[in-house]
Amino acid sequence: MKAIRLFTLCLLCLCLSASFSAAVTIKIATAAPEGSSWMREMRAGAVEIDQRTEGRVKIKFFAGGVMGNDKSVLRKMRVGQLHGGAFTSGSLERIAPSINLFGLPLVFRSYAEVDHVRHQLDAELKQVLEQAGLISFGFAEGGFALLMSQQPIWTIEDVRGQKIWVPEGDAISYRVMESLGLAPVTLPITDVMTGLQAGLVEVIASSPIGALAFQWHTRVKSVTNTPLSYLYATMVIDKKAFSGILPADQPVVREVMEGIYARINQANRIDNEAAIKAMADTGIGFVEMTEIEISKWRGIAIDVIEDMRQEGLFSAELYDRMQKLLEQYRKSKVAVQ
């Protein structure tokens, strides 16, 4: 009898131990401001995951850049202090060079082109990240980066020599801005406002929703309403950390987080339109480049992109597929007209 009780007690201890070890807390950093719609979505998702996994998976977010810039977050992920982060595509170039494929300057001319390409290639880019050891839950559109400054920008000559912000780690944008005759200033997203206030930065390339969220719009008076590059972000979790989640719980995390990113992706396009109106209502002017001028910018961008393609800075295969998709789409639009 005593042996049976001892066996039962040991079995109970083993069960409790297994239950305890199965509980995982995933720590994720983001520059998204606390209280923003993005963070409300994320925190609601964390609650849902906690409930659906019966407490076995908890997501802890560190918002507002409190964990430092993207470089710091990646370093903390490597040592296990953090397990994941939300990054713009350019911030992950060094880990997964092709991840910024959609963000190549002046590639897209409309959201319709973006939708056509992303429908075909989003899964490919997620695979690029997974091969680099990062689990992604999809991509959230940031919108088109527009040039924003104190003075109207109509031509390349209007910006030559001016100090333009380039996101930390975005080597492609840096080289393109240099080729356009600008003076790129590399800063993490958390330091852009300080740079604008101090005069370290004179021009930014941002989506309207980003400019409003981070209050950068308060430091500019003019926006050039020409799509410079397509901005998008993703939240990633280190593959090793994700594997620490019970196999039965991993699909729950994927389902919830993928749903969140799909909703944010859709909402951000609507919010960008609202942000444009909000900025115009504050007195910020919007100017349009001529088609001749846009062609000049595109010509410079194409030359730089081709150089980087030859250097192997991104997948030539994926780039060629993207260009073929764009060519097919543009031909179909011409045929319809």
Side-chain angles (χ1 to χ4, degrees):
M1 189 70 178
K2 193 178 284 187
I4 293 174
R5 285 200 300 270
L6 182 61
F7 174 77
T8 303
L9 180 61
C10 289
L11 186 61
L12 179 61
C13 287
L14 284 171
C15 289
L16 288 172
S17 175
S19 175
F20 178 76
S21 64
V24 175
T25 298
I26 302 294
K27 300 175 182 178
I28 298 173
T30 173
E34 192 63 80
S36 64
S37 59
W38 306 323
M39 285 313 304
R40 288 197 296 271
E41 282 272 13
M42 290 296 181
R43 294 202 182 281
V47 171
E48 182 179 349
I49 289 170
D50 187 13
Q51 292 173 345
R52 289 179 58 182
T53 63
E54 299 178 337
R56 291 185 298 275
V57 182
K58 297 183 182 295
I59 310 289
K60 184 174 183 180
F61 287 105
F62 298 88
V66 297
M67 281 292 178
N69 58 34
D70 287 350
K71 189 181 293 184
S72 296
V73 172
L74 287 168
R75 184 175 63 249
K76 289 171 183 176
M77 285 173 61
R78 285 195 295 270
V79 300
Q81 186 179 348
L82 288 169
H83 306 113
F87 301 94
T88 57
S89 57
S91 298
L92 297 172
E93 277 181 359
R94 291 185 180 179
I95 298 173
S98 296
I99 193 59
N100 203 20
L101 187 72
F102 301 155
L104 292 173
L106 296 157
V107 166
F108 294 112
R109 302 174 187 177
S110 68
Y111 281 123
E113 290 187 353
V114 168
D115 293 342
H116 181 71
V117 169
R118 284 193 55 184
H119 179 70
Q120 302 289 331
L121 296 183
D122 265 16
E124 300 270 2
L125 289 198
K126 285 176 67 177
Q127 188 61 33
V128 165
L129 286 171
E130 186 149 355
Q131 289 170 352
L134 301 170
I135 302 297
S136 167
F137 304 97
F139 304 102
E141 177 175 288
F144 282 121
L146 309 177
L147 289 173
M148 303 183 183
S149 59
Q150 285 289 314
Q151 301 298 325
I153 296 172
W154 302 89
T155 68
I156 292 176
E157 285 68 32
D158 291 334
V159 290
R160 289 201 189 280
Q162 291 201 47
K163 294 172 286 187
I164 184 168
W165 167 58
V166 172
E168 187 176 53
D170 192 342
I172 292 176
S173 293
Y174 192 97
R175 286 180 61 169
V176 171
M177 293 307 165
E178 274 192 320
S179 298
L180 288 169
L182 283 90
V185 177
T186 301
L187 289 173
I189 196 169
T190 50
D191 293 348
V192 175
M193 176 59 90
T194 302
L196 286 167
Q197 292 170 333
L200 182 63
V201 172
E202 298 170 291
V203 182
I204 60 172
S206 170
S207 64
I209 190 175
L212 277 182
F214 293 102
Q215 296 296 296
W216 302 334
H217 72 292
T218 61
R219 310 299 302 182
V220 302
K221 294 181 181 178
S222 179
V223 176
T224 302
N225 200 23
T226 301
L228 189 64
S229 62
Y230 180 68
L231 304 176
Y232 54 108
T234 184
M235 190 188 80
V236 296
I237 293 177
D238 179 80
K239 198 171 183 178
K240 291 181 180 177
F242 191 76
S243 67
I245 299 172
L246 286 176
D249 292 332
Q250 290 179 16
V252 174
V253 178
R254 285 186 182 274
E255 179 190 333
V256 173
M257 287 302 173
E258 286 173 0
I260 288 171
Y261 260 75
R263 289 194 295 275
I264 291 176
N265 183 62
Q266 293 175 346
N268 280 359
R269 186 168 297 185
I270 297 170
D271 290 346
N272 259 313
E273 291 301 318
I276 289 173
K277 183 178 184 307
M279 291 175 70
D281 287 345
T282 67
I284 294 173
F286 284 75
V287 301
E288 303 280 349
M289 286 185 188
T290 65
E291 283 299 320
I292 293 175
E293 188 63 28
I294 293 171
S295 294
K296 291 181 186 177
W297 289 65
R298 285 185 184 140
I300 293 170
I302 287 170
D303 289 343
V304 176
I305 290 170
E306 184 57 31
D307 287 343
M308 290 186 287
R309 180 183 185 277
Q310 295 296 327
E311 293 170 26
L313 296 184
F314 50 81
S315 167
E317 179 190 355
L318 281 176
Y319 176 73
D320 289 344
R321 285 176 59 192
M322 180 174 70
Q323 288 300 317
K324 187 174 181 180
L325 286 167
L326 285 170
E327 183 182 347
Q328 290 172 344
Y329 178 81
R330 288 165 186 165
K331 284 182 178 177
S332 69
K333 294 298 289 183
V334 171
V336 170
Q337 293 173 353

